[in-house]
Every structure is written in structure tokens, then in C-alpha cells.
Amino acid sequence: MMPAVNVKLNGEKSVVAETKLAPLRTAPFPGVNDPAGRTLGDEEIALLTEVIRSAKLNRGAGSKVAELERAFAERYGRRHCTASTSGTSAIHVALGALTLEPGDEVITSPITDMGTVIPILLQNCVPVFADVDPFTLCLDPADLERRITPRTRAIIAVHLVGNACDMDAIMAIARRHDLTVIEDCAQAYLTEYKGRLVGTIGDIGCFSLQQSKHITCGDGGLTIADDERLGERMALFANKGWPNYGKGGRDYVMFGVNYRMTELQAAVALAQLPKLEGVVARRVAAADAITAAIRDIPGLLPPQAPPGGRHSYWFYPLLTRPEELGWSTADFARRLRELGIPAGHGYTGKPIFLYDLLRNQKVYGHSHYPWDAPGREGLPPVRYEPGVCPQTEDALARLVVIPCNEGFAAQDAQDIGKAIRLAAGR
Ligand SMILES: Cc1ncc(COP(=O)(O)O)c(C=O)c1O
């Protein structure tokens, strides 16, 4: 079916009104908030029941959190894992394990969840944003290097939507400037970069177990590292600086918070873990089927892992070139919705630093801290304004977000492929 009315483009605006498309699909797709789109079942219930019957709900009393940490560390081939309460806390655990000075800078990506950024502020450090690669939507290494100042201490590389950052380039930069690399893998379970799992390439890897992630226990986080000292400090930071989760004498050997995961969360996460390979394989199969159906359409750039890599498709990110496609990105996404595909436009909508929390640089009361922390005098001001990351703004404007999860049947991928062709008028 061709579009009812020929539409010309005037920048991002359609200049001719168009009739609504008839839905191609009326049944809902399996979603992350419904049993059909999740892998929660008898295994989770069994372990949860075991924990409840044991009456040991706290990590110090029970064994499931420790078991989860061991199993996750083993799956990733790391020596240390600290479980915590969220993906945000997993990143805070990583930063807390370092020795950062107030006013130090941490460079990260402007396309991410605020959970990547809040821990930087909690450690009294200044978030600095580097632009993204226009295709992978992950940090652009060249721009990252340009943002380094004498106060830069760490990089948080966000593996967005399940694709990998260019880790060779990022690690080379980190080595040149003596920076710690934290990988934010909240959206990137079992994602591979040149045959290596992301989360094991930098110094520390962080994962989220929040409802929408590949595996979930509602909310939760996991932080992995190989280095002995980092591993030890991660565990201390998540437990108020108290060694061995309260077993042994009372002591507080470093600053920390209480981010302890409960045995209830760990029971569910532990049952989810063996399902992870299947979850990712089914997501890849669904995404590959969508890509196969649309790869010849001019003006669409289906997602693709770099050579030797594996994308794990937290969702299906479809970039457009509106001039070639013949539709503005907003109109194209709207047409997909009319056809029955719950497509979104632009993910975070704008670079994360343009949200008021960051843009106003007011975090601690009315102060300008940590941007004006002692020792920052003479540094160029950190700006959170439009135009600071032009490639990010452009990519977000051209990004269509399409659901894709482990509950997808062949028909779901087929319907999405067909709808994309119709929406494009092909
Ligand atoms: C890339 C990224 N980092 C961090 C987080 C924070 O995770 P959580 O919501 O579990 O705190 C998320 C969650 O959406 C995320 O997508």
C-alpha cells in the first residue's frame, strides 16, 4: 500500500496533510510489563519461596546475594561482583570504589538514563559530556579525547541499546591520560565487542536489573571488576564501609552507603541468570528478521554491531535519513503507530544535560557545587547547552525506537518489518 497522499518534506515538517493509515496490526506486542514479554516463571517462584521460608531476607543472613555475585562474576570471567539495589547504585558503587576528589571530572555519553549521571554528582564530581558516533550512538572517541582536562579522572562508556562503544579507541585514550574506564552495560547484557563481553574490557562493568532490562528482579544492580583492590572497595562501598557484610567485629574502614541487595531480589535475579543466553538469542533473532525485511529501503539505517561484535537489542533502534526516506522522522514514527507498531521518536528526546537537573547546575541547595569545587578555578566552564554535542542532537532527531524483546514470535518481527515498509511507502 502506498501513502494515500504524496508528502514532500520541508525540513522536518510535512507540508501536505495526510489521511490516517489503516492498522496492519491490532494485537498488542509482548511488553516488558507483561508476562509474555518476560521470562519470569516457576524458577523465580521456587527460589523466592525458598528465601521467604528461610526467613533470611537480608544479605548478611542468607546466601542468595552471595550466590548471585559468584554466578554473575563467573559468567563474565571476573573475580569480583557486588550486587546492589539498582543500575544507578551499581555505577555509584564503581565510582565510590575509586578515589575521586571533589571537583574531578567524569566524561560520559549524553544519550543515557540519568542513572549514569547521578552517581557522578553524588561523588561530588562534574559530569562532562562527549558527543556520540552518529551511527552507534555511543561515545565518539575523538570527541571524548577533546573533552579531557587536567581534572578528568574517569570515563563512563555507555553501551547504548545493546550496541558496543568503540572500546579499543576508548581504552587507548584512557591509557594515554591515565583514566579509569567504567562500562555502563545497563542496556547491554552479553553484548560483544570484537569477541569480548562488554563490561570486561574497562576496569569496572555495571549492570541494571530494573524491570525493562534483559533480566530483571524489579530493581537491582551488579558491578564487576577483576582488580582485587577495586573489588574489595566496591563491596565496602555498598555496605557502609563495613567489611564482610557485618560478619565479624563492627568496623567502618571507608566511606560508603547501604546499597545492599536483599535476598528476595537475589532469588529472582539468580533464577533469571541462566535464561540470559536465550533472552539475547531471541532478541537477536527478532531484530535480524526485522532488518532482513527492511534493509533495502533507502533512508533507513538498521542497527548493526561492528565486525566481531554482538548487539543485544534492548530495543530496535532505527535511524533515518529523512531526505532519502521521503518522510520526516516524526511523521515516519507516527505512521508506524497508525499501523499498530508502538514506535517512539528520539528516545531521551534531547541530550541528557539539557534536562533541568543538569542544565541549571543546581544540585546541592542553591549552591553551584560541584562545578565550583575548590581547585576548579581557571578551568574552562562546563556548558550544558544546545550545540555542545551536535551529533547527539542530530542522531536523536533521526532515531525511531521500536520494541524488540525475547517474547517476540516470528509473526511479531514480520509485522514490524511489513509496517516499516508501508510507513516508508515501499
Ligand atoms: C544506560 C543506563 N544506565 C543506567 C541506568 C540506571 O539503571 P536503574 O534504573 O536500574 O537505576 C539505566 C536504566 O534505565 C540505563 O538505561
Side-chain angles (χ1 to χ4, degrees):
M1 192 179 81
M2 293 298 287
V5 178
N6 236 358
V7 174
K8 288 185 187 152
L9 279 177
N10 177 10
E12 274 288 290
K13 282 202 177 88
S14 310
V15 294
V16 180
E18 200 219 350
T19 51
K20 239 179 140 183
L21 294 167
L24 163 106
R25 162 96 181 205
T26 48
F29 285 89
V32 295
N33 296 329
D34 98 65
R38 305 275 53 181
T39 54
L40 297 160
D42 292 344
E43 301 80 6
E44 287 74 11
I45 292 169
L47 288 189
L48 199 47
T49 305
E50 193 189 308
V51 167
I52 292 170
R53 290 204 198 288
S54 76
K56 295 173 181 167
L57 308 191
N58 167 273
R59 160 189 192 131
S63 61
K64 292 286 182 275
V65 181
E67 213 179 306
L68 171 67
E69 289 174 341
R70 273 196 303 276
F72 197 74
E74 191 179 314
R75 176 63 189 86
Y76 271 81
R78 301 284 90 177
R79 275 183 288 185
H80 302 278
C81 175
T82 291
S84 60
T85 53
S86 68
T88 306
S89 66
I91 293 169
H92 197 194
V93 164
L95 289 169
L98 311 181
T99 309
L100 298 168
E101 300 296 334
D104 280 348
E105 293 176 4
V106 178
I107 304 180
T108 191
S109 166
I111 309 183
T112 190
D113 180 80
M114 201 56 94
T116 310
V117 183
I118 286 167
I120 302 172
L121 295 164
L122 284 170
Q123 283 308 103
N124 304 311
C125 292
V126 172
V128 170
F129 296 89
D131 217 340
V132 299
D133 174 279
F135 181 68
T136 64
L137 311 181
C138 293
L139 283 173
D140 168 357
D143 195 63
L144 164 67
E145 192 157 26
R146 282 194 287 274
R147 312 272 171 162
I148 292 172
T149 76
R151 293 303 299 268
T152 309
R153 291 289 172 271
I155 298 164
I156 303 180
V158 180
H159 300 298
L160 199 76
V161 195
N163 210 355
C165 295
D166 182 351
M167 289 307 293
D168 279 352
I170 291 174
M171 295 310 291
I173 292 165
R175 273 193 293 272
R176 271 200 297 282
H177 298 273
D178 193 20
L179 307 175
T180 300
V181 176
I182 295 167
E183 295 178 79
D184 180 347
C185 313
Q187 304 178 2
Y189 281 94
L190 301 190
T191 292
E192 289 177 17
Y193 173 81
K194 297 189 181 173
R196 296 168 72 189
L197 285 170
V198 304
T200 67
I201 303 167
D203 300 282
I204 308 182
C206 305
F207 298 79
S208 164
L209 291 160
Q210 179 264 347
Q211 174 78 32
S212 69
K213 301 308 188 303
H214 293 74
I215 52 172
T216 183
C217 61
D219 270 309
L222 296 160
T223 309
I224 55 173
D226 222 28
D227 180 83
E228 193 64 37
R229 184 177 142 79
L230 283 178
E232 208 172 284
R233 286 176 63 86
M234 281 155 33
L236 286 167
F237 188 79
N239 189 41
K240 298 179 276 190
W242 190 352
N244 303 319
Y245 292 97
K247 290 184 180 126
R250 183 175 287 270
D251 200 359
Y252 300 99
V253 300
M254 66 176 264
F255 177 74
V257 282
N258 180 353
Y259 278 150
R260 289 189 306 256
M261 180 182 271
T262 69
E263 291 287 292
L264 298 165
Q265 290 163 291
V268 176
L270 203 49
Q272 286 271 279
L273 192 52
K275 303 178 183 181
L276 185 53
E277 307 282 345
V279 163
V280 173
R282 291 198 291 284
R283 284 177 184 240
V284 170
D288 285 353
I290 298 171
T291 298
I294 65 166
R295 65 158 51 97
D296 61 313
I297 301 176
L300 291 182
L301 292 92
Q304 202 184 343
R310 167 154 88 158
H311 202 305
S312 63
Y313 296 102
W314 185 52
F315 56 72
Y316 188 88
L318 184 59
L319 284 162
T320 67
R321 284 202 195 101
E323 303 71 28
E324 282 171 54
L325 183 61
W327 299 99
S328 73
T329 309
D331 279 344
F332 179 66
R334 174 185 51 75
R335 285 165 66 79
L336 281 172
R337 287 194 295 276
E338 287 173 7
L339 288 161
I341 310 302
H345 174 209
Y347 183 38
T348 55
K350 53 188 174 186
I352 197 89
F353 56 77
L354 293 184
Y355 285 91
D356 282 353
L357 169 68
L358 290 166
R359 193 166 186 180
N360 298 336
Q361 299 193 354
K362 286 262 177 307
V363 171
Y364 294 106
H366 296 293
S367 80
H368 188 49
Y369 188 84
W371 290 272
D372 61 358
R376 293 193 51 79
E377 305 82 10
L379 286 170
V382 175
R383 292 185 306 121
Y384 304 142
E385 295 161 10
V388 166
C389 291
Q391 290 172 180
T392 298
E393 288 181 37
D394 178 58
L396 286 172
R398 293 186 298 103
L399 177 63
V400 177
V401 169
I402 295 170
C404 174
N405 65 53
E406 56 275 19
F408 271 40
Q411 187 66 50
D412 297 315
Q414 244 174 50
D415 285 349
I416 290 177
K418 257 193 229 161
I420 291 173
R421 298 199 77 84
L422 281 173
R426 306 280 157 174

